[in-house]
Amino acid sequence: MKNLLHIVIILILTVLTQIGGLVYLIALLLIKKSVNQRRLKGICVFVFLYLLVTFLIVPFVAPIFGRERIKETEFVQAHSFFFKLANRNYVKSELNNAIEEIAKGFEKQNAGIKIVYLDANFPFIDQFPLLPHLSHNDGKKIDISLIYENPNGKLTNKKPSTSGYGVYEDPKPSEYDQVSVCQSKGNWQYDFPKYLTFGRINKDIKFSERGTRNLINLIVKQPEIGKLFIEPHLKTRLNLTNNKIRFHGCRAVRHDDHIHLQLK
Ligand SMILES: [Zn+2]
């Protein structure tokens, strides 16, 4: 029974953080069976090792295998500490450079407004998926937040979802409704991230057409970027025509809460 619990914990940590399951296993092996307060000491050893590996070892080892930690600058930041704590912030260096260039260009045109990133890739192993995104498995993919504005129309760095996902900019009644089309084909997962918001925040802000269009146009101008996914009704509403902007298909999830971009 106890072993089963350990296996479940290892699986969950591996799915969430890639290296967490292995670190947990090492912590288990390090703590002697006979020691007093084994569970408490085990948790302390795990937390210590996990933080050590995540922040001081992996960032230096991952580049050997072709991925690097997203370079955070004043204008490139994670939506929350979770993405960094869970090793979900690794990309190939070409993507890292492209993000930096896009952020510089965007900030030049919109003082103080940042690129806020969500899930990217894990540090190691091609084909190892970063769930729930099946395709984020090669260092070439990253999700970033849409741009929002305050009630006075000024762009803001605030976002409406605690997790970064699941607060949608729905199709208007007159717009093409890809969401209903996919759901009617039986793709129940298309709308699923609405359960993953962990709460709606900053309820006063609204989607910025101007800011998001500006950002997307800078992204598709980058020669390294091969594709960008956004929901079809937003593509139309924002008047986006670049042929790098594609529909991701009904087997993915909806993309009117974030933008997905990837290298060629
Ligand atoms: Zn994505």
Side-chain angles (χ1 to χ4, degrees):
M1 195 57 205
K2 230 177 170 183
N3 282 344
L4 183 68
L5 181 67
H6 286 317
I7 291 170
V8 170
I9 292 174
I10 288 170
L11 282 177
I12 292 172
L13 285 169
T14 304
V15 166
L16 278 177
T17 72
Q18 191 176 51
I19 61 159
L22 185 63
V23 173
Y24 183 85
L25 188 64
I26 292 168
L28 273 184
L29 297 174
L30 282 177
I31 295 283
K32 289 204 184 86
K33 279 225 164 84
S34 55
V35 82
N36 282 338
Q37 293 182 306
R38 187 167 185 256
R39 183 176 293 176
L40 181 68
K41 284 181 183 155
I43 292 171
C44 291
V45 169
F46 168 72
V47 170
F48 173 76
L49 278 183
Y50 182 81
L51 294 176
L52 180 82
V53 172
T54 296
F55 293 107
L56 294 176
I57 298 179
V58 172
F60 300 98
V61 177
I64 301 170
F65 298 93
R67 298 188 199 171
E68 53 187 51
R69 194 160 51 161
I70 294 170
K71 225 182 291 162
E72 291 220 339
T73 66
E74 207 180 332
F75 303 112
V76 178
Q77 275 171 13
H79 178 66
S80 69
F81 184 61
F82 166 77
F83 297 98
K84 298 189 273 188
L85 181 64
N87 302 295
R88 301 168 83 95
N89 59 333
Y90 283 81
V91 291
K92 289 195 174 290
S93 67
E94 299 96 298
L95 185 52
N96 219 353
N97 296 337
I99 295 164
E100 200 181 356
E101 282 303 305
I102 295 161
K104 265 191 217 159
F106 190 61
E107 204 276 331
K108 222 179 248 173
Q109 296 170 23
N110 305 279
I113 304 300
K114 302 168 184 183
I115 294 217
V116 171
Y117 68 86
L118 306 165
D119 276 332
N121 312 264
F122 284 134
F124 305 114
I125 315 176
D126 281 352
Q127 307 308 321
F128 188 109
L130 181 139
L131 295 176
H133 322 265
L134 294 174
S135 81
H136 287 225
N137 63 3
D138 55 6
K140 297 180 175 181
K141 322 278 162 64
I142 188 169
D143 291 343
I144 61 176
S145 293
L146 304 172
I147 303 293
Y148 295 85
E149 56 190 40
N150 285 319
N152 64 10
K154 283 223 167 92
L155 300 192
T156 174
N157 286 311
K158 290 182 194 164
K159 309 294 173 191
S161 159
T162 302
S163 71
Y165 290 98
V167 175
Y168 301 125
E169 182 57 28
D170 286 315
K172 294 177 179 169
S174 61
E175 288 177 330
Y176 176 66
D177 185 354
Q178 185 68 58
V179 182
S180 302
V181 173
C182 287
Q183 283 177 321
S184 68
K185 284 184 190 163
N187 296 98
W188 59 271
Q189 91 300 333
Y190 199 70
D191 198 33
F192 188 76
K194 70 181 174 205
Y195 300 113
L196 302 176
T197 63
F198 298 115
R200 208 184 159 140
I201 47 173
N202 301 320
K203 288 186 180 158
D204 58 326
I205 60 173
K206 66 181 192 77
F207 174 64
S208 170
E209 291 181 19
R210 172 174 65 90
T212 305
R213 182 193 304 117
N214 187 188
L215 175 60
I216 290 176
N217 282 331
L218 285 170
I219 292 170
V220 294
K221 247 190 224 159
Q222 285 291 318
E224 301 89 347
I225 298 297
K227 273 185 214 165
L228 180 149
F229 296 150
I230 190 165
E231 212 52 35
H233 69 273
L234 292 184
K235 183 179 173 186
T236 309
R237 194 189 302 172
L238 301 185
N239 214 349
L240 298 165
T241 52
N242 190 292
N243 60 14
K244 290 181 184 174
I245 303 167
R246 311 272 177 82
F247 173 54
H248 38 273
C250 284
R251 293 173 69 182
V253 292
R254 49 194 289 195
H255 282 66
D256 52 358
D257 57 342
H258 73 280
I259 302 164
H260 166 107
L261 50 138
Q262 62 186 67
L263 291 176
K264 273 184 181 145

